[in-house]
């Protein structure tokens, strides 16, 4: 998953993972522009894009946990998922999280869109050879010897570390929403285990997809494609991350979380990755891959898969559809040429219907949360505006089926999920509040208010 | 790549297949196992190159033909007054993408199978070679320690 560094609304955006790498594309700035993107978490990430006639959309979402005001948990700085990603799904599910860097100024967006129009005109031309400084460096022959000082960077890109971080943040969201007192060691072990499992799954995904990645613009700079690392090393790295990760989850947290983690790795690498090239059902499998990490967080905290875990998983599952379908709408050419079976190419009507359907499902799921005692009744009410907004954009995408509506929906999804999870957390029914269940609803409402006020 | 180099070299992406060609170093004391590995990699490289070069060429060609036929149906020329190449918008191209994907699906399925087989075989051979080398190195270490 590579994600395109996209201009997001000038807010810090919490990252979300996209279950697949592919959903992220990188928006290439037309030639002659070098853009600096500031990541919302006050980490300055400089991306230099050189000329490239091809367009790539890469979205990266950075989840800024420090913004979430979680009183008890440490804030985890999350870089992209590429870690997304791609796609990795989901930790344990490699999720591809789109990461959107915050643009520094709105004018950049305007110029970029103009340039994009120019680029789409240029795309009709037969431009095979990429042009650009970066490509000029690439034009040299490089020795295929492993450089040890480059190794950390290479492994970071192999494991889509940013996507992994986003996946870990979803897991911690699941952990935080569980109705049990917060335990720091358990939380850290679960996060670490999930992170390792995600790295493993992402690496295996890249190992499988070398020739396809080299043909798609957003993924052609991956380490295996460029020969910076051998496939053997990639597999060894994946094993050395995955086995300790799953062991940590099974032994250090609980067997259920470990089993979910292993299942997610399997689902991502052995089901989702091959399915991408065989049938459109890969999107649904990928959505499950994305839904499992928060469930893992929940089971890490409580030790059982109860209704709350399923609800959280369900919310993430539903979110994946508007997110990915909107993104894939712009990548149809690359998917078609690369041989990927995606709804946006083969069943465009279905693509838009599903996106809309799941936007509406989010409203329904938010309403179920208080019924299951996960949040108070304030949650569906407060989240209604953002759920309605994304549903409205989903409807526009359904009706108009053009680039601008797909982009609007995609960008909305980038901030919608972090905000929804944040609201959910602030409306969380306090553990103490549960004991007061016998009291009037006003009592628990007060408790909820207390949590929300700071 | 320089003549004295003892490692493989990887080059820029090929303009048709977008794959990076590798020039393999043949050590004078290459063992049978290492030769099998090198040949497997060369074979995979050649097969990938053939597939993608042909595939990408076909894509470009069919895209041109599609654009031409659609423009003709609309009564437009390939280039407008200013000499710019006329294009179709994304929605019109969507039909082409859908068609192209479904036409080539079977080809892709076959290629996927071949690619996975190559990939696993190469990685397995790499593992074997690495193991043999590690054992050899350990034996050498033991010998030099004993001496």
């Amino acid at each position: 998953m590579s994600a395109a560094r996209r201009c997001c609304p000038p807010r810090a955006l919490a990252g979300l993972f996209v279950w697949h790498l592919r959903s992220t594309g990188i928006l290439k700035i037309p030639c002659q522009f070098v853009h600096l993107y500031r990541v919302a978490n006050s980490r300055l990430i400089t991306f230099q894009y050189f000329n490239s006639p091809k367009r790539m959309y890469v979205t990266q979402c950075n989840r800024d946990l420090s913004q979430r005001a979680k009183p008890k948990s440490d804030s985890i700085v999350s870089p992209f998922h590429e870690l997304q990603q791609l796609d990795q799904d989901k930790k344990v599910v490699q999720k591809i999280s789109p990461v959107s860097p915050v643009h520094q100024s709105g004018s950049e967006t305007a110029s970029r869109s103009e340039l994009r129009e120019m680029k789409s005109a240029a795309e009709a031309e037969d431009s095979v050879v990429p042009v650009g400084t970066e490509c000029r460096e690439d034009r040299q022959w490089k020795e295929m010897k492993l450089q040890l000082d480059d190794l950390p960077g290479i492994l970071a890109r192999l494991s889509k570390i940013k996507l992994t971080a986003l996946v870990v943040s979803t897991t911690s969201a699941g952990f935080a929403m569980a109705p049990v007192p917060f335990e720091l060691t358990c939380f850290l072990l679960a996060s670490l285990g999930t992170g390792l499992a995600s790295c493993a799954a992402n690496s295996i995904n890249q190992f499988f997809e070398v020739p396809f990645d080299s043909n798609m613009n957003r993924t052609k700079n991956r380490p295996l494609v460029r020969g910076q690392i051998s496939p053997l090393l990639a597999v060894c790295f994946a094993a050395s991350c995955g086995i300790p990760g799953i062991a940590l989850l099974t032994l250090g947290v609980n067997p259920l979380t470990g089993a979910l983690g292993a299942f997610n790795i399997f689902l991502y690498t052995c089901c989702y990755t091959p399915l991408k090239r065989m049938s459109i059902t890969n999107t649904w499998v990928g959505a499950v891959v994305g839904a499992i990490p928060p469930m893992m967080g929940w089971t890490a905290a409580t030790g059982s898969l109860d209704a709350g875990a399923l609800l959280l998983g369900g919310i993430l599952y539903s979110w994946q559809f508007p997110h990915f379908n909107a993104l894939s709408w712009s990548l149809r050419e690359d998917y078609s040429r690369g041989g990927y079976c995606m709804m946006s190419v083969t069943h465009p009507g279905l693509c838009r219907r599903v996106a809309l359907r799941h936007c509406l499902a989010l409203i329904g799921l938010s309403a179920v949360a208080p019924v299951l005692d996960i949040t108070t009744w304030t949650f569906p009410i407060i989240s209604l505006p953002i759920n309605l907004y994304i549903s409205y954009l989903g409807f526009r995408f359904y009706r108009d089926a053009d680039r601008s509506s797909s982009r609007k929906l995609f960008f909305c999804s980038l901030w919608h999920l972090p905000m929804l999870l944040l609201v959910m957390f602030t409306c969380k029914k306090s553990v103490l509040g549960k004991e007061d269940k016998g009291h009037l609803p006003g009592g628990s409402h007060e408790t909820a208010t207390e949590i929300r006020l700071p | 790549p320089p003549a004295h180099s003892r490692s493989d070299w990887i080059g820029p992406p090929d303009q048709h297949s977008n794959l990076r060609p590798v020039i393999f170093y043949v050590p004078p004391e290459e063992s049978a196992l290492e030769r099998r590995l090198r040949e497997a990699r060369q074979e995979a490289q050649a097969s990938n190159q053939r597939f993608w070069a042909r595939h990408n060429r076909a894509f470009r060609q069919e895209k041109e033909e599609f654009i031409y036929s659609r423009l003709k149906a609309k009564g437009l020329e390939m280039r407008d007054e200013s000499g710019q190449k006329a294009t179709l918008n994304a929605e019109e191209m969507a039909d082409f993408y859908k068609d192209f994907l479904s036409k080539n699906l079977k080809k892709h399925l076959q290629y996927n199978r071949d690619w996975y087989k190559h990939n696993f075989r190469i990685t397995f051979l790499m593992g074997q070679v690495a193991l043999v080398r590690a054992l050899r190195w350990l034996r050498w270490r033991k010998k030099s320690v004993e001496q």
Side-chain angles (χ1 to χ4, degrees), chain A residues 30-175:
Chain A
C31 324
Q32 291 107 29
F33 285 96
V34 172
H35 286 253
L36 289 174
Y37 292 100
R38 179 182 295 277
V39 171
N41 304 353
S42 71
R43 262 184 52 164
L44 187 64
I45 295 180
T46 309
F47 296 113
Q48 297 182 313
Y49 290 98
F50 296 88
N51 297 348
S52 170
K54 306 237 176 117
R55 227 180 326 159
M56 293 201 315
Y57 282 95
V58 168
T59 37
Q60 278 189 329
C61 286
N62 271 329
R63 164 156 278 155
D64 189 305
L65 282 183
S66 53
Q67 283 187 332
R68 292 175 54 148
K70 283 209 259 186
K72 297 178 208 162
S73 54
D74 304 329
S75 59
I76 299 171
V77 177
S78 52
F80 160 91
H81 118 124
E82 162 63 71
L83 108 196
Q84 124 230 276
Q85 48 139 60
L86 127 301
D87 92 301
Q88 312 272 32
D89 40 48
K90 311 330 105 263
K91 251 305 238 140
V92 250
V93 224
Q94 302 305 337
K95 288 182 254 212
I96 300 177
S97 39
V99 174
S100 331
V102 178
H103 287 291
Q104 284 178 336
S105 68
S107 59
E108 286 182 350
T109 326
S111 57
R112 204 182 339 232
S113 45
E114 282 167 347
L115 291 167
R116 224 175 307 115
E117 301 320 308
M118 273 167 32
K119 268 214 289 209
S120 32
E123 272 185 358
E125 307 269 351
D126 266 348
S127 46
V128 178
V129 179
V131 175
T133 326
E134 191 179 61
C135 305
R136 255 174 262 136
E137 287 168 5
D138 267 357
R139 294 256 137 219
Q140 301 165 3
W141 282 78
K142 297 226 170 68
E143 195 175 0
M144 274 177 97
K145 202 149 91 166
L146 184 65
Q147 313 287 353
L148 279 175
D149 25 323
D150 289 341
L151 194 62
I154 292 174
L155 291 180
R157 264 172 292 148
L158 184 69
S159 61
K160 297 191 222 161
I161 195 91
K162 296 186 198 133
L163 175 56
T164 297
L166 289 166
V167 168
V168 169
S169 58
T170 357
T171 308
S172 49
F175 194 95

